[in-house]
Amino acid sequence: MPSAAIQAPAPVERRSSLRLPGGVFAGTTLFVAIGALNSQNNLLFWVFGLAVGAVVMSGLVSGAGMMGVRARRSPLETARAGEPWTVRYRVENAARLTPAVALHVEERSTRGGVSIWGFGVGVAPGARATINVTTVPERRGRVELDGPRVWSTFPFGLTRKQIRFAQPGAAIILPTRLPLRTGMLGDLLARAAVGQQSARPSNTGDELFAVREYSPGDSPRRVAWRASARHGELRVRQFSEQVARSVWLELLVEDAEPHEVERTIALAASLAEEALAQRVSVGVSIPAWGFRAPPSAGAARSCELLDALAVAGPSDEASTHARIGHTPSRDVVQVGVHVGPGGLDVRRPEDWLAVGASMPATLEVPSTAERERMTLRRRLSRVIDRLVGGGDDSASGGAA
């Protein structure tokens, strides 16, 4: 199974912040205060005093419960676009007497567009709890998280006490897994050749194939010392062996829409994952981005290839996975738009999707109405965040 790339967390840094009352309550309290001053009505003064007292009490109670809270994110698990991704947080209450009630855990990504939000009932004094937060990443790529924020509005929901724990971390969101049509992989492999492999050495072959330059990972037992001395650099003996078939996937993303590019990468990743599971060597080439990964097989190769496709883009973030070389003209299956005969056109999913399967929503182009709703939703979210004090105005110090 491919694993997400995890960055080691930094030491925990605690930051706290105090959120003001909700916009509706604050506005109502202000109008009551104005009415009390203008009319000199004792009842309005009583109401205004109760409102202010509720704000003060809410701040004191929630602040006391948050003083002993500690939180840390557990190691990130494998993530895939369009599938549920569970992030676990360990929350501890170090206080001796005060429980932490109605805790919320929130974390936003500084890169990758993933929002994590979870709710836990409470943690007793001296106890620990695990909060499992499940989210669905919408797109592939690298996600960077800055650290969990634990907050509570107990007991009246008027003031929000928040503590931020600086714990940077990163994970790679793998491309969407597509349900492929039965037998499609066999049709593609019919184009592949079976014969002698000269790309990588074997430890089991017994027939000398050639002497080539040394590359990292070659066994020292294969070093040809006489040839190395003659050429002035390390040379290794390579033996021929009968190996499984290999196939190249050439991704054509020129003049493609963004959702078509994502379809192309998702289709190539699904094909490569299925082929590697059947011990078939798979190579991937994206000429438009200068990306090329040579054919190879194995579980480790599956992880490496999927990680490379996850971060591949025009800026070539996957340059560390790229290899310089020429894609052979044979054994190539084109995937993308404007493909040649025998290729896979991402604009015709009925040719490669399983019967009865539908395209994942993350790879579909949203309609005009959906884009307008998404824009309106973002605007409303920003307005609500401003009204309830959702800005990130953290200040150093302990929760008070």
Side-chain angles (χ1 to χ4, degrees):
M1 289 293 294
S3 58
I6 301 175
Q7 179 179 343
V12 174
E13 173 188 357
R14 299 176 67 248
R15 296 181 180 179
S16 67
S17 63
L18 170 65
R19 305 295 182 178
L20 297 177
V24 176
F25 186 85
T28 304
T29 304
L30 179 61
F31 277 111
V32 170
I34 294 175
L37 293 174
N38 290 336
S39 64
Q40 296 297 311
N41 190 313
N42 291 334
L43 180 59
L44 292 179
F45 278 110
W46 275 99
V47 174
F48 175 71
L50 289 175
V52 175
V55 172
V56 174
M57 287 300 299
S58 179
L60 292 176
V61 173
S62 61
M66 294 291 293
M67 287 293 293
V69 173
R70 307 289 188 272
R72 176 177 289 274
R73 183 194 329 106
S74 299
L76 298 174
E77 298 179 354
T78 301
R80 189 181 292 271
E83 297 182 6
W85 180 34
T86 301
V87 182
R88 294 177 172 84
Y89 299 91
R90 298 186 62 184
V91 181
E92 177 184 0
N93 186 7
R96 296 183 179 180
L97 300 175
T98 309
V101 185
L103 296 180
H104 298 252
V105 177
E106 180 181 5
E107 188 168 12
R108 300 176 182 176
S109 60
T110 58
R111 177 184 181 186
V114 175
S115 179
I116 301 174
W117 180 86
F119 174 75
V121 177
V123 183
R128 298 179 180 179
T130 300
I131 300 179
N132 298 327
V133 184
T134 301
T135 184
V136 180
E138 296 182 355
R139 58 179 181 270
R140 63 180 177 87
R142 182 179 177 85
V143 171
E144 296 180 358
L145 303 175
D146 55 356
R149 296 174 174 86
V150 182
W151 55 273
S152 175
T153 59
F154 180 81
F156 305 122
L158 302 179
T159 56
R160 173 176 169 178
K161 292 299 183 67
Q162 172 178 288
I163 302 179
R164 176 178 177 270
F165 299 86
Q167 186 187 359
I172 293 180
I173 309 298
L174 302 179
T176 304
R177 182 189 287 111
L178 297 176
L180 301 179
R181 177 172 54 83
T182 304
M184 188 188 67
L185 182 61
D187 297 340
L188 298 180
L189 293 178
R191 300 165 52 89
V194 178
Q196 304 297 324
Q197 174 176 319
S198 59
R200 297 181 63 89
S202 170
N203 294 328
T204 58
D206 55 0
E207 182 179 352
L208 181 64
F209 182 84
V211 176
R212 59 171 177 82
E213 298 178 356
Y214 175 85
S215 61
D218 290 332
S219 173
R221 299 180 180 179
R222 298 289 179 177
V223 176
W225 297 109
R226 293 184 179 180
S228 300
R230 186 167 55 254
H231 291 86
E233 60 180 358
L234 286 178
R235 299 285 178 133
V236 295
R237 297 185 298 272
Q238 184 167 345
F239 296 87
S240 63
E241 60 169 337
Q242 192 77 11
V243 298
R245 293 165 293 183
S246 63
V247 62
W248 274 93
L249 299 178
E250 185 176 13
L251 310 189
L252 304 181
V253 296
E254 299 90 347
D255 303 328
E257 298 293 334
H259 71 282
E260 294 174 343
V261 173
E262 295 304 318
R263 282 188 183 185
T264 302
I265 294 179
L267 178 56
S270 301
L271 283 171
E273 190 172 9
E274 183 174 346
L276 289 170
Q278 300 183 18
R279 300 180 180 273
V280 176
S281 300
V282 179
V284 178
S285 172
I286 311 178
W289 297 346
F291 173 83
R292 185 175 293 106
S296 183
R301 174 58 177 168
S302 177
C303 297
E304 179 184 357
L305 184 57
L306 291 178
D307 289 349
L309 289 175
V311 299
S315 59
D316 195 14
E317 295 183 42
S319 57
T320 56
H321 299 270
R323 302 291 187 269
I324 299 176
H326 175 66
T327 304
S329 58
R330 65 175 184 176
D331 308 334
V332 172
V333 178
Q334 293 182 336
V335 182
V337 297
H338 308 301
V339 298
L344 299 176
D345 191 345
V346 296
R347 295 178 178 176
R348 302 184 59 183
E350 64 276 4
D351 293 342
W352 39 269
L353 273 184
V355 178
S358 59
M359 182 69 61
T362 54
L363 302 180
E364 288 283 9
V365 55
S367 62
T368 304
E370 291 177 350
R371 288 196 297 266
E372 292 177 353
R373 285 197 298 268
M374 292 170 60
T375 304
L376 179 60
R377 187 182 309 162
R378 293 192 184 99
R379 292 178 180 176
L380 289 176
S381 299
R382 293 178 182 177
V383 172
I384 293 175
D385 287 342
R386 292 178 181 177
L387 288 177
V388 301
D392 192 8
D393 51 357
S394 298
S396 300

